[in-house]
Amino acid sequence: EPTKTSFFQALDITTKITKGTVEILNDTPILAIGDKVGSSEAALLKMLNIHPFFYGLKVKQIYDNGSLYGEDVLNITEEVMMTNFQKACSNIAAISLETGITTEASIPHSLANGFKNLVSIAIETDYSFKQAEKVKEFLKDPSKFIKVEEKKDEKKDDKQEPEEEEEEE
């Protein structure tokens, strides 16, 4: 309504009247999140038919079985849950290995330890199997494996030609 321009002026909102309606010239923030709504802001929002209100709960503490927890307990991400789960699995595997109780978490470690024991036996005796041969070969002559790494490095160096620098006199 054109008669309401004084109301807008009182709130420092620039307006003009166009074809019998009030037009707001600039975007003007009326409220920010967390601001208390005064009577003039409420009247303006009602006049513009805007309903910005949202009602909800803000959790500050959680009570569960006699314990109080802060609101940060609810901000757990999937990554945090996965990290905690992995730590728990690691702890279960360690306890299982130490006590000799087999669990799903300890089976891969038990198999790896068994393989290490078999390789140790193969190294100390004449008995051998396919997977132990490479370890035996390494123990006999570690330089073979160093040369392989050096050759790989040389091939990489050959592919990258060194840049020539000009000398200044």
Side-chain angles (χ1 to χ4, degrees):
E1 286 180 43
T3 58
K4 302 284 183 172
T5 54
S6 60
F7 183 75
F8 289 107
Q9 288 174 350
L11 294 173
D12 291 329
I13 299 173
T14 54
T15 60
K16 72 175 184 177
I17 298 173
T18 307
K19 296 182 183 177
T21 60
V22 176
E23 183 179 328
I24 298 174
L25 297 177
N26 300 321
D27 286 343
T28 307
I30 299 167
L31 295 169
I33 294 175
D35 287 351
K36 294 199 182 225
V37 180
S39 60
S40 57
E41 289 92 355
L44 175 61
L45 293 171
K46 184 177 180 182
M47 184 186 315
L48 298 173
N49 199 23
I50 298 174
H51 307 284
F53 302 103
F54 172 77
Y55 298 97
L57 296 174
K58 183 172 182 179
V59 176
K60 295 192 179 205
Q61 290 188 333
I62 301 163
Y63 177 79
D64 183 37
N65 293 329
S67 298
L68 283 174
Y69 302 100
E71 62 184 292
D72 57 324
V73 171
L74 297 176
N75 296 332
I76 297 174
T77 62
E78 189 173 323
E79 184 177 301
V80 170
M81 290 295 289
M82 286 304 296
T83 302
N84 290 341
F85 181 74
Q86 289 171 342
K87 286 179 184 176
C89 287
S90 177
N91 289 339
I92 290 170
I95 291 169
S96 298
L97 288 170
E98 195 61 33
T99 59
I101 299 170
T102 305
T103 63
E104 277 188 57
S106 70
I107 289 174
H109 301 284
S110 296
L111 291 173
N113 289 339
F115 176 74
K116 289 176 192 176
N117 290 338
L118 288 173
V119 170
S120 297
I121 291 169
I123 289 169
E124 293 296 322
T125 64
D126 292 334
Y127 180 77
S128 187
F129 55 96
K130 180 181 172 186
Q131 290 82 358
E133 286 300 319
K134 194 167 188 174
V135 176
K136 281 184 161 185
E137 186 180 334
F138 175 77
L139 291 174
K140 284 180 185 173
D141 187 11
S143 63
K144 288 182 183 177
F145 293 90
I146 293 172
K147 290 178 184 174
V148 170
E149 290 298 319
E150 288 174 357
K151 288 179 183 176
K152 286 181 183 177
D153 289 341
E154 287 175 9
K155 287 180 183 177
K156 287 180 185 176
D157 291 341
D158 290 342
K159 289 179 183 176
Q160 299 174 352
E161 294 180 18
E163 296 179 12
E164 294 179 17
E165 295 182 10
E166 295 181 17
E167 293 182 17
E168 294 182 18
E169 292 183 22

